[in-house]
Amino acid sequence: MGKIEGFFNEWIQAKYRHHDELQNKEDERIKRKENDLASLDSTAEAFEEKMEFTSVEIEKWLIKNQLDK
């Protein structure tokens, strides 16, 4: 039984190592995706702020040009 137990233990340990490798790869992939999403969110917020500023500037320009007529 000792040889069979040894073989089984090695086989189980190999499965655990393989699982750990897969888990580490997935953790890294998820971390990269989270960073990408954070960057995208930041870019979207900056774009929204620029659009709001532009909207205010256009409104000011329209009011000024309507009063000049």
Side-chain angles (χ1 to χ4, degrees), residues 1-9:
M1 281 293 229
K3 286 186 179 185
I4 293 175
E5 273 185 54
F7 175 77
F8 181 73
N9 283 335

Side-chain angles (χ1 to χ4, degrees), residues 18-37:
H18 182 68
H19 174 269
D20 289 343
E21 289 172 7
L22 291 175
Q23 188 66 50
N24 288 336
K25 286 180 183 178
E26 283 302 303
D27 288 345
E28 286 298 317
R29 187 181 71 80
I30 289 170
K31 188 176 180 180
R32 283 192 306 272
K33 292 295 179 186
E34 286 174 346
N35 288 338
D36 290 346
L37 289 172

